[in-house]
Amino acid sequence: MVDPSDDTDSPSIRIDVGPDATAAPAQAPAQSQAPLVEVADEGFPLLGGVGHIRSYSGTSEVSTASTASVRTIPALPDMQIRCHGIDPNGLMFDCSSKDALRGAKRGKGNFWIDIDADERDADELRAWLGDLNLPLFFLSVIAERSETWSTQVVAFKKSALTVVRFLPQKESAEYETHMAALCLPNLLMTFTSAPRSEAGDLYSTLHDYMHGEERLPTPTASGVLLALLRFHIDRTSRSMRRLRKHVLKVDEIMDRNVANVSIDVIIDAKDELLRLLACAEEQNECLVALERAEADTEGLDFVHLKGSLGVLIATTSAMERMALRLEKQVADLRQRYEGHQQEKINRRLAVLTVLSAVFLPLTLFSGMLV
């Protein structure tokens, strides 16, 4: 624990998670007293322990009558923490961090917290996440640089870690992007590896999508997780269909005149296909792993989501099959292009052979005259 008087940087988010505001005032520990050791609560990682954690505010936070129930979450510079609640009808609404954490702790409602840390030093992010009392394994994954993330599902007793790959805002970009989610019975926390400078309007699109009617299969944290996965799976599916349309168009052009298509067009289609295939495969693996992990954790509840989960698995499986068919089509296009190029070379060699047959005797005869 660090005394709040040490706080020196940017504003922090202060969250009241206590049962009421009339709790007895907390006594400040004496200077010689041993520091209080906080124990991470796996079920509610943001709420473990009592008292203040380090604040990055230039103004010291002063304890109030509810100090024992106040948790100060330090927001790093330029960090965005977005909180959403889910009403019984399955509609999502924006709320404060205070309402989300307190509601999740009491089991009153379901909530989604999205933390956008943007690009920053790994040690700085690790220190910030460490103050949130997250499970150590989750912390070890999130605090690493985003290029080291990989699709996986890890089940704890009361929570589950899910990391899944999704397409970046610029779908032709070379880098990979992932979403990491900590799944709890009443709370879903998500982090994304996409830098804000590259994400563009992706979050705005996601926000509008998630707040639409009938987006959530159930008004639960697990329902929010499946809705998020569906959003990204639908983006992959649309990109796959666009690529198929593009490949069919190239094939039609080559049927008329192979010379009208350059090899760069075929190579670009192949590269895009490989990216989409890798993304679809990882999304399918994630869904299958989630289905199997439900029995091992309280953080996932798919009892009323079997149909929705099955549809998503079927969708990603269909994308994989489509990608494999497109892979054969792209290979056929390249073979036809190379066959055309070889035919051009053969025709040129044939012309050179005829010219050689005509001029070689003349050259030999003129040489004999000399």
Side-chain angles (χ1 to χ4, degrees), residues 22 49 57 120 123 135 177 215 219 229-230 279 289 294 369:
T22 61
S57 171
R120 60 180 68 253
D123 293 335
T177 49
R215 290 300 187 193
L229 292 174
R230 179 186 173 187
C279 191
E294 181 194 8
L369 291 179

Side-chain angles (χ1 to χ4, degrees), residues 78-85 92-97 100 111-118 166-170 175 177-180 188-212 215 224 227-228 231-232 235 238:
D78 298 325
M79 176 178 285
Q80 295 184 14
I81 301 179
R82 309 178 181 96
C83 301
H84 315 271
M92 189 168 289
F93 57 89
D94 296 336
C95 67
S96 66
S97 301
F111 302 89
W112 168 35
I113 298 178
D114 180 70
I115 299 178
D116 175 9
D118 203 12
F166 65 91
L167 294 178
Q169 176 73 6
K170 300 176 182 177
Y175 59 87
T177 49
H178 293 80
M179 177 185 73
L188 180 71
M189 290 178 56
T190 56
F191 300 78
T192 57
S193 66
R196 195 179 302 150
S197 58
E198 301 291 343
D201 297 328
L202 183 58
Y203 181 79
S204 298
T205 304
L206 175 60
H207 180 276
D208 294 340
Y209 173 87
M210 294 295 289
H211 283 68
R215 290 300 187 193
V224 175
L228 286 171
F231 172 80
H232 291 300
R235 293 181 63 239
R238 286 194 296 270

Side-chain angles (χ1 to χ4, degrees), residues 247-257 333 336:
V247 170
L248 292 176
K249 184 66 175 179
V250 172
D251 182 65
E252 180 182 347
I253 294 173
M254 292 185 72
D255 285 340
R256 296 172 181 172
N257 188 351
L333 294 179
R336 289 167 60 187

Side-chain angles (χ1 to χ4, degrees), residues 208-340:
D208 294 340
Y209 173 87
M210 294 295 289
H211 283 68
E213 294 185 2
E214 299 182 359
R215 290 300 187 193
L216 304 184
T218 60
T220 63
S222 294
V224 175
L225 175 62
L226 288 193
L228 286 171
L229 292 174
R230 179 186 173 187
F231 172 80
H232 291 300
I233 289 170
D234 286 346
R235 293 181 63 239
T236 307
S237 180
R238 286 194 296 270
S239 296
M240 191 78 73
R241 291 195 296 270
R242 283 197 298 268
L243 179 60
R244 179 180 62 180
K245 184 177 180 180
H246 174 68
V247 170
L248 292 176
K249 184 66 175 179
V250 172
D251 182 65
E252 180 182 347
I253 294 173
M254 292 185 72
D255 285 340
R256 296 172 181 172
N257 188 351
V258 179
N260 289 337
V261 176
S262 68
I263 187 62
D264 291 337
V265 172
I266 300 175
I267 292 176
D268 290 344
K270 176 186 174 182
D271 292 342
E272 178 66 12
L273 174 61
L274 293 178
R275 281 193 292 270
L276 292 177
L277 176 57
C279 191
E281 287 177 339
E282 293 189 35
Q283 289 173 349
N284 180 260
E285 292 169 1
C286 177
L287 291 169
V288 173
L290 281 172
E291 185 180 39
R292 295 174 179 171
E294 181 194 8
D296 300 324
T297 177
E298 299 175 16
L300 298 171
D301 182 10
F302 298 140
V303 173
H304 302 292
L305 295 169
K306 299 293 185 183
S308 299
L309 185 58
V311 168
L312 293 180
I313 292 175
T315 300
T316 53
S317 297
M319 284 194 296
E320 287 187 65
R321 293 191 297 270
M322 183 190 300
L324 293 175
R325 290 194 296 270
L326 283 176
E327 190 175 25
K328 293 180 180 179
Q329 287 182 276
V330 172
D332 178 65
L333 294 179
R334 183 159 189 169
Q335 186 177 10
R336 289 167 60 187
Y337 177 85
E338 292 175 349
H340 174 71

